[in-house]
Amino acid sequence: MSEPASEPLIQRAFAAVDVIRTKRDGGKLSDEQIDWVVDAYTRGDVAEEQMSALAMAIFLRGMDSGEISRWTHAMIASGERLSLSVSRPTVDKHSTGGVGDKITLPLAPLVAACGAAVPQLSGRGLGHTGGTLDKLESIPGWRASLSTSEIQAQLEDVGAVVCAATSGLAPADKKLYALRDVTSTVESIPLIASSIMSKKIAEGASGLVLDVKFGSGAFMKSLDQARALASALTSIGADHGVPTTALLTDMNVPLGRAVGNAVEVAESVDVLKGGGPADVVALTVALAREMLALAGLDVDPAAVLASGEAYEVWCRMIAAQGGDPAAPLPTPSHVHTVVAPASGVLASLDAYAVGVAAWRLGAGRARKEDPVQAAAGILCLAKPGDRVSEGDPLLELHTDTPDAVPAALSALEGGFTIASSAPEPGPIVVETIRG
């Protein structure tokens, strides 16, 4: 079920130019200014060019923690807030995006198998980072759009739902997100944090775990940037009464061996059946432990994953949304293999290069309106630390458009190195921040 986020926040009208000037000159926006400008922009009373100017002022001048929290509050109040009346404790997860990041797929059914309810409202891919909905739509029959009542019923019956956000959740964020994309104001921690948390808090979960990635394949390139974002996110959660934990995770190397859509679904199913790459398993279990702790459940997710119970929940979750979990996944019409140019040890494999290559093969999109290919992607047949001989296959490029291969190969130039040895891999989870 859903309900209005809160009573209307508007107390008096302001002039948009005055709000812009306040932030342009380094001032702090008042709660009343924030409430008014977010609501007025959502209703169309503040023009796109005015909000563009304000977004740039925020980008350049920043916001303090109080402003960020209030901005988030105003965006939540622009729409409805789900009221999840289910018999299990509810807990959600959000990732800031990476290459090969299919963790939601095994994680949601695993946490549900442990006794929690997971209302995972997800999005689509843009650029080199993939989208959860694009991946799941490679399963024949599966549908992303559910009504609020369908979400509620599936959570009660299955314990997990992965679907598109309903149109009424944080409409202010939908408008502002699109505006930031075309005004070069995306890389702003206040705007990123409020965007993420407005949607997640509006979903109505009682706890939230964040996977904040850093490295070449992540939005945040450095650990310090990721730490700053995680701190802002957990602070917003605490301010809004939603216990929030953030894991800082390494995204310099693709996660797992599959990057794309159907290939990532296949790898996720392997994990749910007790196999799969060690890094995907490790991160899935680490996030599950944090989610279960917030839900107040004393269950070992590693044992549940090994038991096969999570795979059973996966099958029920997919079937509940019209999909056939037993149906063959799409396969590409063209496969191109990249081979090792020399013998030695694969010393590095750059996540960003692989992500861009997969995008150019058709796994991702340059604009939200672009279609994606279900079968497009890359299989990493070797990972850093693996010994290879000259001519051994390193990467398998999948696409339905062979003409895209040269552009993908261009993206991979300099994206891997072969040497006499490789550095010891570090931990995938580098730090934990709790709100």
Side-chain angles (χ1 to χ4, degrees):
M1 305 297 292
S2 62
E3 56 188 26
S6 67
E7 292 299 315
L9 297 171
I10 310 309
Q11 297 180 7
R12 68 184 180 90
F14 293 83
V17 68
D18 292 335
V19 179
I20 296 165
R21 184 183 298 113
T22 297
K23 183 51 63 179
R24 183 201 68 184
D25 293 344
K28 177 178 178 177
L29 298 179
S30 68
D31 288 352
E32 292 78 16
Q33 284 178 313
I34 291 171
D35 295 344
W36 176 80
V37 77
V38 170
D39 177 77
Y41 175 61
T42 306
R43 290 185 287 105
D45 291 343
V46 167
E48 293 288 332
E49 61 268 23
Q50 292 174 312
M51 186 54 87
S52 297
L54 180 57
M56 184 59 74
I58 292 169
F59 178 88
L60 295 173
R61 292 294 195 170
M63 282 179 158
D64 67 20
S65 60
E67 287 175 291
I68 298 172
S69 182
R70 190 66 182 197
W71 190 274
T72 306
H73 180 54
M75 292 209 296
I76 295 168
S78 71
E80 65 186 19
R81 184 168 179 169
L82 294 185
S83 178
L84 300 173
S85 301
V86 294
S87 58
R88 310 174 181 216
T90 56
V91 62
D92 194 9
K93 166 259 182 187
H94 176 80
S95 169
T96 56
V99 177
D101 181 13
K102 74 280 296 171
I103 298 298
T104 290
L105 279 62
L107 180 63
L110 171 59
V111 174
C114 293
V118 185
Q120 181 75 59
L121 306 190
S122 298
R124 303 188 181 279
L126 191 64
H128 74 281
T129 59
T132 298
L133 301 182
D134 297 325
K135 297 166 190 179
L136 286 168
E137 283 181 337
S138 66
I139 300 172
W142 186 87
R143 63 188 177 97
S145 296
L146 300 180
S147 67
T148 302
S149 61
E150 286 175 319
I151 293 171
Q152 176 92 19
Q154 187 170 323
L155 281 176
E156 187 62 53
D157 180 43
V158 180
V161 58
V162 181
C163 64
T166 61
S167 60
L169 290 182
D173 178 64
K174 292 181 177 66
K175 286 191 70 174
L176 185 55
Y177 189 93
L179 185 72
R180 288 164 54 212
D181 194 41
V182 297
T183 56
S184 194
T185 55
V186 171
E187 300 93 337
S188 164
I189 284 179
L191 296 177
I192 295 168
S194 58
S195 174
I196 291 170
M197 295 302 287
S198 63
K199 291 176 293 208
K200 286 299 171 183
I201 293 170
E203 286 176 15
S206 56
L208 175 63
V209 175
L210 302 160
D211 181 0
V212 181
K213 298 189 176 297
F214 68 92
S216 71
F219 195 67
M220 295 294 161
K221 300 304 179 185
S222 73
L223 178 58
D224 284 345
Q225 289 177 318
R227 187 181 292 118
L229 176 58
S231 296
L233 293 166
T234 55
S235 177
I236 293 170
D239 288 346
H240 288 80
V242 179
T244 304
T245 299
L247 302 187
L248 307 187
T249 66
D250 193 319
M251 185 34 69
N252 285 296
V253 176
L255 189 57
R257 293 183 178 269
V259 178
N261 295 314
V263 290
E264 290 195 39
V265 173
E267 187 166 86
S268 300
V269 170
D270 286 344
V271 170
L272 287 162
K273 289 183 174 180
D279 57 348
V280 177
V281 175
L283 185 52
T284 300
V285 170
L287 289 164
R289 288 191 198 284
E290 295 294 342
M291 292 173 73
L292 293 169
L294 291 181
L297 297 171
D298 184 15
V299 183
D300 179 9
V304 174
L305 185 61
S307 74
E309 294 175 58
Y311 176 66
E312 295 175 7
V313 175
W314 161 266
C315 292
R316 292 174 59 209
M317 182 181 80
I318 297 303
Q321 291 174 238
D324 181 357
L329 293 167
T331 56
S333 62
H334 183 78
V335 175
H336 179 92
T337 303
V338 176
V339 301
S343 297
V345 176
L346 185 63
S348 67
L349 181 61
D350 183 69
Y352 180 73
V354 174
V356 172
W359 166 27
R360 291 180 176 177
L361 291 168
R365 53 173 64 82
R367 302 175 305 161
K368 289 182 180 181
E369 302 79 19
D370 294 343
V372 297
Q373 296 177 24
I378 294 176
L379 289 180
C380 303
L381 304 178
K383 293 289 289 284
D386 291 348
R387 183 164 292 279
V388 297
S389 297
E390 182 178 352
D392 282 353
L394 293 181
L395 301 167
E396 204 172 79
L397 312 187
H398 294 191
T399 186
D400 291 330
T401 50
D403 289 347
V405 170
L409 293 175
S410 176
L412 290 168
E413 287 181 10
F416 61 86
T417 57
I418 295 174
S420 58
S421 63
E424 285 294 316
I428 191 163
V429 179
V430 175
E431 193 173 320
T432 301
I433 296 176
R434 293 184 171 86

